[in-house]
Structures are given as C-alpha cells and as structure tokens.
Amino acid sequence: MSGSKRPAPAALAPTPSARQLAYQGMGLIGFAHFGINTFSGREWGEGTEDPRLFDPAALDADQWAGAFKAAGARQLILTCKHHDGFCLWPSRLTKHSVASSPWRSGRGDLVREVSEACRRAGLRFGVYLSPWDRNAPSYGRGAEYNEYYLGQLEELLSGYGEIGEVWFDGAKGPGVDQAYAVDRWVALVRRLQPGAAIFSESGPDIRWIGNEDGVAGETNWSKLTPLGSISGSDAALLGRGSPDGSEWLVGECDVSIRPGWFHHPEEDGKVKREEELLELYLKSVGRNSVLLLNVPPTREGRIASADANSLAAFGRLLERAFSEDLASGSTASASSTWGRDPAYAPSGASSDDAGLYWAPEEGETSPWIELEFTGPRRFDAVSIEEFVELGQRISAFRVEARRGGRWIGLAQGTTIGYKRILRFPPIEAEALRLAIDGSLATPLVRRVAVHRLETPARPGER
Ligand code: FUL
C-alpha cells in the first residue's frame, strides 16, 4: 500500500451531530438552582409561595459567572422556573414571577442578568424550565397547559440571545396528571435555537445518566435505543448506554456541590471540596460524559464563599493536571496503520488536531499504538479519545507502560468514547502502549495523552 491513499474508514452508525459534539466538548458545565425555594428554605416549593418572598438584595450575576468560570465551566444553566412555577423573568403569561416581587422594584429580569453576565464571561447560557408546574392553574388540563408551557419556552428561546442547552426535567409529583407535548417542545427549540442541545431523561441530544451523584458507568456507550418512559430499573442502562443503541445520546451527569439543589445556610459546612470535585470529574468527563455541577446562589444573590473557593481550587487542579500532555513530542509506532495517508499516521494519536486519528489496518485483531517519550516521565493518569465522528467503537483496551525495558499493566477498561481518563498509582516510565482488545469496527484513536494529577510524591510509590 506504500504511497497510496485509502479512503477514511466507513462511519459506524449512529454518529453524533455537530450540536452533540460541541456540547460534549464543553466537558464541565454549571447549574444554578435559584428561585423562591432559596427564600422558603425548601427543595420543592408548592406553588403557593408569595412572590414577595423573592428579594436577593445583593444579587450579582457577574459574581456567579466568574465563580463558574474559575472552575473551568464553559456554560451555565439557570433554573428559570422550578416546580413551584415562579418565573425568574417577567413572563407575559403569568403574574407568578419576579415582576410581583420587591426585587429591583418588580422591574428585574434575572434571566436577562444571568444570560448577559455569561456572555461577558465567555460562558454559554442554558435554560431549565420545569415542565411540572405546581402554580399554573392549567396544569393537568392537557392542551391548555401545553400552550402555556410552549409560550414560556418561546419567551426564553427568543428573548435572551443564543441558548446552548435546554433542560427538560423529568420530575413530576404525584397527584395531578398532565401529558406533555414533548415533540412540540423539541420542534420549537430546533426552530428558534438550532444550536441548542436538548436534555431530557432520554434525549433527543443528551440523556440523563440515571443518578444525581455525578457518576457515569465505567462502561459508557454514547448510544441508546430511547426508552420512552423511564422506570427505576433503567437507571443502570442510562449509566452505561448500549453498544447496539439506535441513537447517539451523550450522557450528562448532574450533581450538586451541596446536599441540596437550592442553597440552605445550614448546609454551608457541607460543600464538596476540590478533591471530591476532581473525583467526580474523573467519573463523568473521564467516562465519556459531561459534568453538570450545580452551585446554588444564596438569598443575598451571591455564590457563597465556601462554594466559590471550592470552584476556584477545582479549576486550578484541572488546569494543573490537564493543561499539559506529558507525552507531547513522543515518537509513535503502531502494530499497523491504515493506508499511508499522513492524516492517518500514528503520530496523529498524540496530536491536538481534531482532524487526525490513528487507525490500524482493517481486520487486525489486536492492534496497539506506542508512544516513546522524549525521556522518562512520571505520571498517574492517561486520557484517551476516540474519533467518535465516525461512531463509537472500542469495547476493550489496556494501557501499559515500559519501565527499564519491562512492560507493566497500568489500567484496563471497556469503552473509551469521546474521552476516557484512567487514574493509577504514580509511575515513572519511558513509553506508553494502548492495546485494543475489542472493537465493534476498526478502532479510531484521536488522542492519547499523559497527565499528572498529584504533585506531591508519596512514599512507597512505584
Ligand atoms: C430533579 C428536580 O426534582 C430537582 O429539584 C433538581 O432540579 C434536579 C436537577 O432535577 O428532577
């Protein structure tokens, strides 16, 4: 085959949309639960709360955006309306909103303030609009409520610039039954905000990961055959996806930095620290998913200092660990390489260029790629990326390091997907090998990078 060009390997359906790729590329995104519950001290309001309760005297949306930005978040989603029905913008469709509150003398619009602060900080802005509404008199009256909900959605999608994500919460309390016109919600988002990724328990762009702990399955396919309605036994399936799923559905791991989704002063001592947040990052972003981290502002309308400090320290940990690839400059070799087109050369595996990947010859049963470092490297984590544009393929792999001429197993796993990060005890080595033991079709590896998560050397390390 020397000198000849081969066409790129054929796509393995399903494949991600540009919208889904852009979404997953964000990695870490923020969530801000804020509303009448912040003032009543509840997690689920009843819908009967007096709007006059809402008065965040020192509200500073730039401070929120800055706190999320410091962690490295790329987007912030605001609970524009939670289950209690209170709207953080002056909706024309109800009086149960900031317009009936003392905040900014009833002339405030928090959706505007937060969306503009996000833009100033370089964050995308996303909206959460609870379908379950305990205040709307029409809730439970079928079409009437659906019109109301669509009207509110239209206000949010047309009045606040570009929206990065729309979050449809699946929570629905007992009692009143209301059938949702989900197809119409999706059509409206596609029409007004074609770039917005849509989250619901089962898509169409982003799927719920099946828990609210911020943790994806160790095996995690970005593919699933939509479940329709979700029952408890489906949680594990949501966490791991399915190799033969019919749709591309990226998993999103939602979790709060505190026990509750809303800020309660009595939980000020229970804010997750940066090490815990890094662990969650490895179990979400590091498992082919996205981390949606909730940090709820206080009654004053600010992110509390404990939360802001954790976010900033978390951001520093991520920056220190992942801004550098300790394998850069390595010489790559492989069991074989697809064709001779330089775009498919093994060095593509350690390149940042999104257009490059390494693929072995078709039909090879145990392909591998090795990176010979420019000198010994001390590291405790490896991140691997598949070229998912042509479908997710790898189902079994191993990572080994060569030290003093001997190969040592560091980690093994099943899926890789958009990104897989593996952590192991620190080791000093001269070379790294990725061996692929199972793949649905010719594996395509975009990148293999080497990292150090911990700086202090501990006694007894290998
Ligand atoms: C759940 C809701 O019931 C919680 O209050 C919170 O908003 C969480 C993100 O989703 O379904």
Side-chain angles (χ1 to χ4, degrees):
M1 294 298 299
S2 183
S4 68
K5 276 194 179 182
R6 295 262 299 271
L12 178 72
T15 53
S17 63
R19 181 194 295 126
Q20 288 170 316
L21 286 171
Y23 165 76
Q24 192 158 8
M26 291 192 290
L28 172 67
I29 60 185
F31 214 174
H33 274 65
F34 189 70
I36 212 81
N37 293 337
T38 313
F39 298 85
S40 64
R42 307 187 61 145
E43 277 290 307
W44 279 8
E46 298 195 357
T48 52
E49 293 79 11
D50 187 336
R52 284 175 299 186
L53 272 179
F54 186 86
D55 194 12
L59 192 132
D60 180 358
D62 286 312
Q63 190 254 355
W64 304 12
F68 283 101
K69 180 90 178 172
R74 307 276 297 278
Q75 174 176 274
L76 174 58
I77 302 178
L78 174 68
T79 54
C80 302
K81 175 185 87 167
H82 203 250
H83 311 327
D84 51 72
F86 181 78
C87 299
L88 298 183
W89 79 104
S91 171
R92 287 186 296 274
L93 303 167
T94 178
K95 289 198 163 55
H96 198 58
S97 79
V98 284
S100 306
S101 81
W103 179 63
R104 308 242 191 279
S105 309
R107 286 190 290 275
D109 182 341
L110 191 54
V111 178
R112 177 146 336 275
E113 291 193 22
V114 176
S115 61
E116 288 177 354
C118 284
R119 247 147 243 143
R120 281 192 289 274
L123 297 174
R124 293 174 80 180
F125 176 66
V127 296
Y128 166 114
L129 182 70
S130 171
W132 182 32
D133 187 323
R134 305 177 88 180
N135 176 268
S138 60
Y139 192 85
R141 294 195 207 135
E144 198 189 326
Y145 178 74
N146 277 315
E147 290 309 316
Y148 175 75
Y149 186 80
L150 275 163
Q152 293 198 320
L153 193 56
E154 179 154 5
E155 289 180 339
L156 293 176
L157 298 178
S158 54
Y160 301 94
E162 200 179 323
I163 302 293
E165 180 171 350
V166 181
W167 220 86
F168 294 125
D169 195 334
K172 203 178 196 181
V176 188
D177 193 35
Q178 166 72 45
Y180 297 144
V182 182
D183 292 351
R184 294 181 62 201
W185 307 349
V186 171
L188 187 68
V189 179
R190 294 290 193 242
R191 182 162 65 79
L192 296 177
Q193 294 281 348
I198 302 176
F199 167 95
S200 82
E201 282 179 348
S202 55
D205 300 316
I206 310 166
R207 74 174 201 264
W208 186 43
I209 210 71
N211 64 69
E212 293 188 323
D213 307 326
V215 175
E218 277 193 75
T219 294
N220 182 15
W221 295 95
S222 294
K223 307 191 248 190
L224 194 68
T225 303
L227 303 172
S229 70
I230 292 175
S231 67
S233 59
D234 295 323
L237 184 56
L238 286 167
R240 65 172 185 268
S242 159
D244 53 7
S246 63
E247 306 291 321
W248 190 273
L249 287 173
V250 182
E252 181 181 83
C253 299
D254 60 321
V255 66
S256 185
I257 198 166
R258 291 164 167 260
W261 290 100
F262 287 86
H263 180 269
H264 309 294
E266 63 274 21
E267 292 177 353
D268 279 352
K270 297 185 176 160
V271 176
K272 292 182 180 69
R273 300 294 306 267
E274 56 274 21
E275 297 83 10
E276 211 176 328
L277 297 177
L278 177 65
E279 247 346 277
L280 291 177
Y281 185 89
L282 298 178
K283 290 177 176 168
S284 54
V285 176
R287 292 181 180 174
N288 185 32
S289 188
V290 167
L291 177 57
L292 172 57
L293 178 62
N294 178 64
V295 185
T298 64
R299 262 173 224 186
E300 287 68 45
R302 298 178 61 84
I303 305 267
S305 56
D307 309 55
N309 291 340
S310 278
L311 287 177
F314 175 42
R316 287 193 294 270
L317 281 184
L318 291 179
E319 173 72 19
R320 196 183 70 199
F322 297 113
S323 58
E324 198 191 350
D325 172 10
L326 299 173
S328 71
S330 295
T331 309
S333 55
S335 54
S336 70
T337 296
W338 179 287
R340 288 285 167 193
D341 188 316
Y344 309 131
S347 59
S350 59
S351 163
D352 270 328
D353 188 324
L356 301 185
Y357 53 85
W358 163 71
E361 281 293 346
E362 203 169 2
E364 200 190 320
T365 46
S366 325
W368 52 262
I369 180 164
E370 280 176 23
L371 302 178
E372 182 80 35
F373 307 147
T374 50
R377 292 282 185 279
R378 188 173 179 80
F379 57 99
D380 57 11
V382 164
S383 77
I384 311 168
E385 297 171 22
E386 265 186 85
F387 188 80
V388 291
E389 283 84 336
L390 294 177
Q392 189 181 350
R393 299 154 180 245
I394 296 169
S395 59
F397 68 95
R398 276 171 294 129
V399 177
E400 299 168 343
R402 200 187 69 230
R403 195 180 57 177
R406 255 187 65 230
W407 286 98
I408 301 166
L410 295 181
Q412 55 184 25
T414 50
T415 52
I416 292 176
Y418 190 93
K419 185 183 281 183
R420 184 73 201 267
I421 307 174
L422 299 130
R423 187 181 201 171
F424 35 79
I427 183 171
E428 190 171 289
E430 304 103 41
L432 187 86
R433 178 194 286 157
L434 168 66
I436 295 160
D437 299 321
S439 191
L440 304 181
T442 303
L444 311 177
V445 177
R446 186 206 300 279
R447 187 162 190 258
V448 180
V450 169
H451 304 287
R452 178 137 194 202
L453 303 182
E454 287 172 337
T455 35
R458 290 208 217 96
E461 281 176 357
R462 288 196 289 178

